[in-house]
Amino acid sequence: MKLVLFYHSLFSDWNHGNAHFLRGVVRELLQRGHDVTVWEPAAGWSRENLVADHGPQALEDIAAALPGLSSRLYDGAMPDLDEALDGADAVIVHEWSAPELVAEVGRRRAAGAGFRLLFHDTHHRSVSAPEEMAAYDLSAYDGVLAFGNVIRDIYLQKQWTAHAWTWHEAADTALFHPRDDIAASRDLVWIGNWGDDERTEELDRFLLEPVQALGLSATVHGVRYPDDALERLAAAGIDYRGWLPNHRVPEVFAAHRVTVHVPRRFYTDILPGIPTIRPFEAMACGIPLVSAPWDDVEGLFTPGEDYLVARDADDMAAKLRLVLADTDLARSLRENGLSAIRARHTCGHRADELLDILASLGCPADTTHPPRARVEIA
């Protein structure tokens, strides 16, 4: 099939976690012999912030680390859609796309274009900014891909779409796999952005306080940390090391003995069952994971076996101490988490799910191209 994807960015992962999953899915579709084109705005905020902070070389380095992947840049709200949509069998428009683009692609579908059309939602705006999401005209779309059951159900209940499927994120295992060639030299790492006050209190309780109480050697990577956050990290004895390109995350996980997951408040209070991308990537790399409270209502993993859950700051400290001291427990978490990812939660699994959805919508299922061999990128 020819698939055309409109996303915020394939290469820039500056405050843009959707790029992680997109890269893996595109690679998997290409390995199956499909023709995939990703379109992204040349002036997207993630690209512009990355270049402003780290120069154009950062984008060049990311592209060099992801051989076989490419995207097409466009100016303004949308590219030349006559060119972009020519010959497409299936089109996916991501929810960070300009409303004008969302609407115009829908109009072309309504006017008789032969492609199947899906909208992809990987954010909490359906509950945090419902008026923004309600403004999208999805009437001509064949359905919505939502990264959790609860968001899928919101689209159906609010009648924003007639059809919706759950399409969880997953680990890009070509990049995210254990790096046994790197020895752990520090205790704990957390990779994430400060969160616009969506998890400030949670980071205090489940990261800063336990690290300080245990005197751990700890590292934090991420962007958009205000000065007061940097001061709090320093006071807790945590080394802040700024933005980390996502293709280098596996080596950083390998250099640490444990990591934590601190969900944003929306994913604990209103949108349970959505782990976001980092737990998938951590488990794929084989690093033991301890999570702040998060309700895995969809049964993606097995709490207590694939990862541990801490009730509060004291419990987080106790569980971190246990993982760091008990090599058998650490090994069990590592092995169980890795097995869960490989069995159910790789981008290969999600590519298969997407192709099944498209087949159910009548897309041609071209089986003349056998899947290509999996490639790991060290």
Side-chain angles (χ1 to χ4, degrees), residues 50-305:
L50 176 58
V51 171
D53 285 357
H54 301 280
Q57 185 63 45
L59 278 173
E60 296 174 15
D61 291 345
I62 292 172
L66 303 171
L69 299 184
S70 63
S71 64
R72 299 281 301 274
L73 300 179
Y74 63 87
D75 296 317
M78 67 185 80
D80 178 343
L81 290 182
D82 289 335
E83 175 189 2
L85 299 174
D86 183 38
D89 295 303
V91 178
I92 301 176
V93 184
H94 187 255
E95 49 91 17
W96 276 121
S97 300
E100 304 96 306
L101 173 61
V102 176
E104 180 57 30
V105 177
R107 279 193 285 270
R108 293 185 178 231
R109 177 76 172 98
F115 54 78
R116 297 299 178 266
L117 179 58
L118 296 170
F119 186 73
H120 187 198
D121 191 338
T122 59
H123 201 262
H124 55 60
R125 287 196 296 163
S126 58
V127 294
S128 62
E131 68 287 348
E132 292 181 15
M133 303 312 296
Y136 285 115
D137 180 6
L138 303 180
S139 59
Y141 282 63
D142 292 285
V144 170
L145 301 170
F147 79 145
N149 286 351
V150 63
I151 293 180
R152 176 202 64 194
D153 293 345
I154 288 170
Y155 272 87
L156 296 173
Q157 291 162 3
K158 292 183 178 293
Q159 298 184 347
W160 292 341
T161 185
H163 305 284
W165 297 266
T166 298
W167 197 42
H168 283 289
E169 294 183 316
D172 177 5
T173 50
L175 283 169
F176 287 83
H177 51 84
R179 291 290 304 273
D180 296 330
D181 57 316
I182 299 175
S185 58
R186 293 175 65 80
D187 293 323
L188 180 146
V189 63
W190 186 70
I191 302 172
N193 305 324
W194 189 250
D196 300 321
D197 293 326
E198 292 177 5
R199 58 181 167 199
T200 301
E201 295 178 7
E202 291 82 353
L203 287 170
D204 278 334
R205 289 201 307 273
F206 294 101
L207 178 63
L208 277 67
E209 292 178 22
V211 165
Q212 188 169 22
L214 296 174
L216 302 182
S217 56
T219 308
V220 163
H221 285 276
V223 301
R224 300 180 70 182
Y225 281 69
D227 289 342
D228 68 308
L230 298 177
E231 292 169 2
R232 286 146 82 176
L233 290 176
I238 297 173
D239 291 339
Y240 172 67
R241 298 184 181 176
W243 172 71
L244 180 70
N246 202 52
H247 64 272
R248 291 194 50 223
V249 167
E251 68 189 65
V252 173
F253 276 150
H256 295 78
R257 298 178 181 89
V258 67
T259 189
V260 297
H261 175 47
V262 185
R264 294 171 188 260
R265 206 164 301 129
F266 286 109
Y267 298 116
T268 58
D269 295 349
I270 306 174
L271 298 173
I274 301 174
T276 67
I277 194 70
R278 286 299 183 196
F280 291 112
E281 295 178 340
M283 283 185 261
C285 289
I287 184 172
L289 172 68
V290 184
S291 178
W294 167 67
D295 190 1
D296 184 8
V297 296
E298 297 184 40
L300 299 175
F301 301 103
T302 303
E305 296 182 14

